[in-house]
Amino acid sequence: MQQKIKNFNRYLLEHYPAVWNTKIVWMLLAGIMIHIIFFFIGYISHADPKSLHKFNVMDDYFSGGMIFIHLIISILTIVGWLILMFKNNAFKNFYPVTKWQMFSQFLQYFIIIFTCTSFFFSYMAGFKLFVKNTYPDGRMSESIAVINRTYPFFSQDLENYTLDNKIFPQYPQLFCETHIEKINRNKKYFVYYDRVYQYYTLYSRTVYEKDNNGDYPFPGTEPEDRFAYSEKNDSSETYYFKKEVVDLSPYIKTTGLTFYNFSSIFYRNNLEEKSFLKRNYYNDPYIDYNKNAYWKEKSEASRLTAQLLDKRNPAEIEKLMNDFLRISREFGISNNLDAVKWAEMVCHPEDFEVRYFIKKYETKSNEEYDPNRNSQYDDYGYATSTIDSAATVVEGQIVNNAVQIKDFNPDISSQLSPEDYFMKNITGYYYHTDDLKNFLGNVDTVKSTDFFSENIHIYLWIAFFLATVIFSFRVTDLKSLLFSMISGGILSLVVVLITVLYSVSGGRGSEEFFIAYLVFGIGLFILSVPLLMMRKFKKLVSSIFITVSMNGFVLFVLLLFFIVSLHQEKACRDLMSPERYSNCKTVIETLGFSLSYIILAIGFVFMYFYTGVLKKWKAMPE
């Protein structure tokens, strides 16, 4: 084997000396082997479903320590490669080389460094493949359907079972007013302890024109006291107003907590929209552009729950709970629920009121359960307002602020508050709901996220800048590289000092333009010296200009785009109205991540043509 390696190296030396010198064949082979190892680690890293219970599992690569292993391996491989490569340098020893040969060496440096620093992609590819194979979309869709159907019986948050959650199929668009000072006491309303509910039909007004602040103004023809809520989209905002009170007494059997009121969705599983899935907002029901779809899903969930309850069949509810607990075991969710006992807590066919509650986490011995630990509850106090029996109703609204809940519920002092009712009826059963929600979110996020496109820019630019530094050292020497780094630091300090002086001397407000053009002038001078005035300076001085040019050209190109964007922003402010200015995009905003690829391509083209300058510099006398 050793003899074969020697023969292969001799073949490369005789036929492809640049390839032999850069060791790219062996470095790519070693890099691919390390990538395979990282892929395997990523595939088995989350074999335990409990590892998917944390909030954002995609950060595990960085928070779990893999990034440090990544960095250590990358540093060792690159340092070892440099030690082997620096033994020979054809350019410095005046061997004849063409522009393409020099540029091909730079390309090989780039490929080697990228291969030895991009292990993250292999790890995440293995992780993603594991999640796709273990939790396929079809299976997850069926599991989420069972979870959403069982969710009404979790009984962990009493706010899910209050009357304002109830959906009435007979009235598809109703608004439930719960603000005590906005209740029309001349019309039908419902009371539960310190809560008051009144239902209204709605009418709407849509605004298409923005005001000077870029907002859609409130319709001036409508009374503000009738405003219910608004929905905004890309081109308009629709304001909804209360029209008239609706008496829903025939459809409301009790104003207390009942499973019939439940209308929430535990997790949305829209496979067609997974490309838009992002953590922290995809499952938020209050996003304007998704309100209609979410309301339809809530209505369907409410209908299915009512349909199941109307059957009054404990065996069917118990079967549903058994299926849910089986799924929970597969997902590694901690709980102590028993389907039989759980069904007994839920099944009260006469009214299906919520009489028992389940904890969201396991409590230790003698530990008092805190419902606020995982979710936020409102403060239930019945001293929410001062006493004044002289409150009057004007146009459907109580105008006197001194309103007391006793005006609506005279027996409140003898009743049990919702908070106390919850704590009195909390059971010893628990279910880690947050773990289940995190698990489902992580599975969907991992399967739908394009890790390559979102992170490739970082590793491309790391490889490019390291390749230019190494190439600069190979072409010039360590002294030139060090002097160029020192020169760059000095220039940065000078720019900062000049900018401060400019700002102090009366240029406040235009610092961005001043800095941009100051750096542009310095950069243009540095680039022009090797092209036009190289022989007017000593070889060492010219090498500093060359090194700074090679390492800073892409930043100079980015500066050009930044200057254009500054002028575009100024033109938008000067020529356009405020509402149109909000839609005015600069060239950087328009191109987005594409700008990164454009500048990178320009950088490679520059390096190819700049090899001619390097050859002329090398021909200069020492």
Short mmCIF file of all heavy atoms in Angstrom, two decimals, residues 301-328:
data_model
loop_
_atom_site.label_atom_id
_atom_site.label_comp_id
_atom_site.label_asym_id
_atom_site.label_seq_id
_atom_site.Cartn_x
_atom_site.Cartn_y
_atom_site.Cartn_z
N ALA A 301 -62.39 21.74 14.61
CA ALA A 301 -62.04 21.09 15.87
C ALA A 301 -63.19 21.15 16.85
O ALA A 301 -63.50 20.16 17.54
CB ALA A 301 -60.80 21.76 16.46
N SER A 302 -63.87 22.29 16.93
CA SER A 302 -65.03 22.42 17.81
C SER A 302 -66.15 21.49 17.38
O SER A 302 -66.82 20.86 18.22
CB SER A 302 -65.50 23.88 17.81
OG SER A 302 -66.66 24.03 18.59
N ARG A 303 -66.37 21.37 16.07
CA ARG A 303 -67.45 20.49 15.57
C ARG A 303 -67.17 19.03 15.90
O ARG A 303 -68.06 18.30 16.36
CB ARG A 303 -67.58 20.66 14.05
CG ARG A 303 -68.74 19.89 13.44
CD ARG A 303 -68.68 19.93 11.93
NE ARG A 303 -67.55 19.15 11.42
CZ ARG A 303 -67.57 17.82 11.28
NH1 ARG A 303 -68.65 17.12 11.61
NH2 ARG A 303 -66.52 17.20 10.79
N LEU A 304 -65.91 18.60 15.70
CA LEU A 304 -65.56 17.21 15.99
C LEU A 304 -65.67 16.90 17.48
O LEU A 304 -66.12 15.81 17.87
CB LEU A 304 -64.14 16.91 15.49
CG LEU A 304 -63.94 16.92 13.97
CD1 LEU A 304 -62.46 16.76 13.63
CD2 LEU A 304 -64.76 15.82 13.32
N THR A 305 -65.27 17.87 18.32
CA THR A 305 -65.38 17.66 19.76
C THR A 305 -66.84 17.56 20.18
O THR A 305 -67.21 16.66 20.95
CB THR A 305 -64.70 18.83 20.51
OG1 THR A 305 -63.33 18.90 20.12
CG2 THR A 305 -64.79 18.62 22.01
N ALA A 306 -67.68 18.47 19.69
CA ALA A 306 -69.10 18.43 20.03
C ALA A 306 -69.74 17.14 19.52
O ALA A 306 -70.59 16.54 20.20
CB ALA A 306 -69.81 19.65 19.44
N GLN A 307 -69.34 16.71 18.33
CA GLN A 307 -69.88 15.46 17.76
C GLN A 307 -69.52 14.27 18.64
O GLN A 307 -70.37 13.39 18.88
CB GLN A 307 -69.31 15.28 16.36
CG GLN A 307 -69.90 14.13 15.57
CD GLN A 307 -69.28 14.01 14.20
OE1 GLN A 307 -68.10 13.65 14.05
NE2 GLN A 307 -70.04 14.35 13.17
N LEU A 308 -68.28 14.23 19.14
CA LEU A 308 -67.87 13.13 20.00
C LEU A 308 -68.59 13.17 21.33
O LEU A 308 -69.03 12.12 21.85
CB LEU A 308 -66.35 13.22 20.22
CG LEU A 308 -65.72 12.15 21.11
CD1 LEU A 308 -65.94 10.76 20.52
CD2 LEU A 308 -64.23 12.42 21.29
N LEU A 309 -68.77 14.36 21.90
CA LEU A 309 -69.46 14.48 23.18
C LEU A 309 -70.94 14.13 23.06
O LEU A 309 -71.52 13.50 23.96
CB LEU A 309 -69.30 15.90 23.73
CG LEU A 309 -67.88 16.35 24.07
CD1 LEU A 309 -67.88 17.81 24.50
CD2 LEU A 309 -67.28 15.49 25.17
N ASP A 310 -71.55 14.52 21.95
CA ASP A 310 -72.98 14.24 21.76
C ASP A 310 -73.28 12.74 21.69
O ASP A 310 -74.40 12.31 21.99
CB ASP A 310 -73.49 14.92 20.48
CG ASP A 310 -73.56 16.43 20.64
OD1 ASP A 310 -73.59 16.90 21.79
OD2 ASP A 310 -73.57 17.14 19.62
N LYS A 311 -72.30 11.94 21.31
CA LYS A 311 -72.49 10.48 21.27
C LYS A 311 -72.64 9.89 22.66
O LYS A 311 -73.20 8.82 22.82
CB LYS A 311 -71.34 9.82 20.54
CG LYS A 311 -71.25 10.13 19.05
CD LYS A 311 -70.07 9.41 18.41
CE LYS A 311 -69.97 9.72 16.93
NZ LYS A 311 -68.80 9.03 16.32
N ARG A 312 -72.04 10.60 23.66
CA ARG A 312 -72.08 10.14 25.05
C ARG A 312 -71.65 8.69 25.17
O ARG A 312 -72.31 7.86 25.79
CB ARG A 312 -73.48 10.35 25.65
CG ARG A 312 -73.77 11.83 25.91
CD ARG A 312 -75.20 12.11 26.26
NE ARG A 312 -75.36 13.45 26.78
CZ ARG A 312 -75.34 14.56 26.04
NH1 ARG A 312 -75.14 14.46 24.74
NH2 ARG A 312 -75.48 15.75 26.59
N ASN A 313 -70.53 8.41 24.52
CA ASN A 313 -69.99 7.05 24.46
C ASN A 313 -68.62 7.03 25.12
O ASN A 313 -67.62 7.33 24.48
CB ASN A 313 -69.90 6.58 23.01
CG ASN A 313 -69.49 5.13 22.89
OD1 ASN A 313 -69.14 4.48 23.88
ND2 ASN A 313 -69.53 4.59 21.69
N PRO A 314 -68.53 6.68 26.42
CA PRO A 314 -67.23 6.68 27.10
C PRO A 314 -66.21 5.74 26.45
O PRO A 314 -65.01 6.02 26.48
CB PRO A 314 -67.58 6.21 28.52
CG PRO A 314 -69.04 6.53 28.68
CD PRO A 314 -69.64 6.35 27.32
N ALA A 315 -66.68 4.65 25.85
CA ALA A 315 -65.75 3.69 25.23
C ALA A 315 -65.01 4.32 24.06
O ALA A 315 -63.82 4.08 23.85
CB ALA A 315 -66.51 2.45 24.77
N GLU A 316 -65.70 5.15 23.27
CA GLU A 316 -65.06 5.80 22.13
C GLU A 316 -64.04 6.84 22.61
O GLU A 316 -62.96 6.97 22.02
CB GLU A 316 -66.11 6.46 21.24
CG GLU A 316 -65.54 7.03 19.95
CD GLU A 316 -66.61 7.50 19.00
OE1 GLU A 316 -67.80 7.22 19.25
OE2 GLU A 316 -66.25 8.16 18.00
N ILE A 317 -64.38 7.58 23.66
CA ILE A 317 -63.44 8.55 24.21
C ILE A 317 -62.22 7.84 24.78
O ILE A 317 -61.07 8.27 24.59
CB ILE A 317 -64.12 9.40 25.29
CG1 ILE A 317 -65.24 10.24 24.67
CG2 ILE A 317 -63.11 10.30 26.00
CD1 ILE A 317 -66.02 11.08 25.66
N GLU A 318 -62.44 6.70 25.46
CA GLU A 318 -61.33 5.93 26.02
C GLU A 318 -60.42 5.39 24.93
O GLU A 318 -59.19 5.37 25.08
CB GLU A 318 -61.88 4.79 26.87
CG GLU A 318 -60.80 3.97 27.56
CD GLU A 318 -61.39 2.85 28.39
OE1 GLU A 318 -62.53 2.99 28.87
OE2 GLU A 318 -60.72 1.81 28.54
N LYS A 319 -61.00 4.95 23.80
CA LYS A 319 -60.19 4.46 22.69
C LYS A 319 -59.32 5.58 22.12
O LYS A 319 -58.13 5.38 21.81
CB LYS A 319 -61.08 3.89 21.60
CG LYS A 319 -60.31 3.34 20.39
CD LYS A 319 -61.26 2.82 19.34
CE LYS A 319 -60.46 2.27 18.14
NZ LYS A 319 -59.55 3.26 17.54
N LEU A 320 -59.90 6.76 21.99
CA LEU A 320 -59.14 7.91 21.50
C LEU A 320 -57.97 8.22 22.44
O LEU A 320 -56.84 8.49 21.99
CB LEU A 320 -60.06 9.12 21.37
CG LEU A 320 -59.41 10.44 20.92
CD1 LEU A 320 -58.84 10.31 19.52
CD2 LEU A 320 -60.41 11.58 21.00
N MET A 321 -58.22 8.14 23.74
CA MET A 321 -57.16 8.42 24.71
C MET A 321 -56.08 7.35 24.69
O MET A 321 -54.90 7.64 24.86
CB MET A 321 -57.77 8.53 26.11
CG MET A 321 -58.66 9.76 26.29
SD MET A 321 -59.48 9.79 27.88
CE MET A 321 -60.28 11.39 27.81
N ASN A 322 -56.46 6.10 24.47
CA ASN A 322 -55.47 5.02 24.35
C ASN A 322 -54.56 5.25 23.15
O ASN A 322 -53.34 5.06 23.23
CB ASN A 322 -56.17 3.67 24.22
CG ASN A 322 -56.40 3.01 25.57
OD1 ASN A 322 -55.52 3.01 26.43
ND2 ASN A 322 -57.59 2.45 25.77
N ASP A 323 -55.14 5.66 22.02
CA ASP A 323 -54.33 5.96 20.83
C ASP A 323 -53.38 7.12 21.11
O ASP A 323 -52.21 7.11 20.70
CB ASP A 323 -55.24 6.31 19.65
CG ASP A 323 -56.05 5.12 19.18
OD1 ASP A 323 -55.64 3.97 19.46
OD2 ASP A 323 -57.09 5.33 18.52
N PHE A 324 -53.88 8.12 21.82
CA PHE A 324 -53.04 9.27 22.14
C PHE A 324 -51.88 8.88 23.05
O PHE A 324 -50.73 9.31 22.83
CB PHE A 324 -53.89 10.35 22.80
CG PHE A 324 -53.10 11.48 23.38
CD1 PHE A 324 -52.58 12.46 22.55
CD2 PHE A 324 -52.85 11.56 24.74
CE1 PHE A 324 -51.82 13.51 23.08
CE2 PHE A 324 -52.11 12.60 25.27
CZ PHE A 324 -51.60 13.57 24.44
N LEU A 325 -52.13 8.07 24.06
CA LEU A 325 -51.07 7.66 24.98
C LEU A 325 -50.05 6.76 24.29
O LEU A 325 -48.86 6.79 24.63
CB LEU A 325 -51.68 6.96 26.20
CG LEU A 325 -52.52 7.87 27.11
CD1 LEU A 325 -53.13 7.05 28.25
CD2 LEU A 325 -51.68 9.01 27.67
N ARG A 326 -50.50 5.97 23.32
CA ARG A 326 -49.56 5.16 22.54
C ARG A 326 -48.61 6.07 21.76
O ARG A 326 -47.39 5.84 21.72
CB ARG A 326 -50.33 4.23 21.59
CG ARG A 326 -49.42 3.46 20.62
CD ARG A 326 -50.26 2.65 19.64
NE ARG A 326 -51.25 3.45 18.96
CZ ARG A 326 -50.99 4.23 17.92
NH1 ARG A 326 -49.74 4.34 17.45
NH2 ARG A 326 -51.97 4.92 17.34
N ILE A 327 -49.15 7.09 21.12
CA ILE A 327 -48.32 8.05 20.39
C ILE A 327 -47.37 8.77 21.34
O ILE A 327 -46.20 8.99 21.02
CB ILE A 327 -49.22 9.06 19.66
CG1 ILE A 327 -50.02 8.35 18.56
CG2 ILE A 327 -48.41 10.20 19.07
CD1 ILE A 327 -51.09 9.21 17.93
N SER A 328 -47.86 9.11 22.53
CA SER A 328 -47.02 9.79 23.51
C SER A 328 -45.84 8.92 23.93
O SER A 328 -44.72 9.42 24.13
CB SER A 328 -47.85 10.16 24.74
OG SER A 328 -48.89 11.06 24.39
#
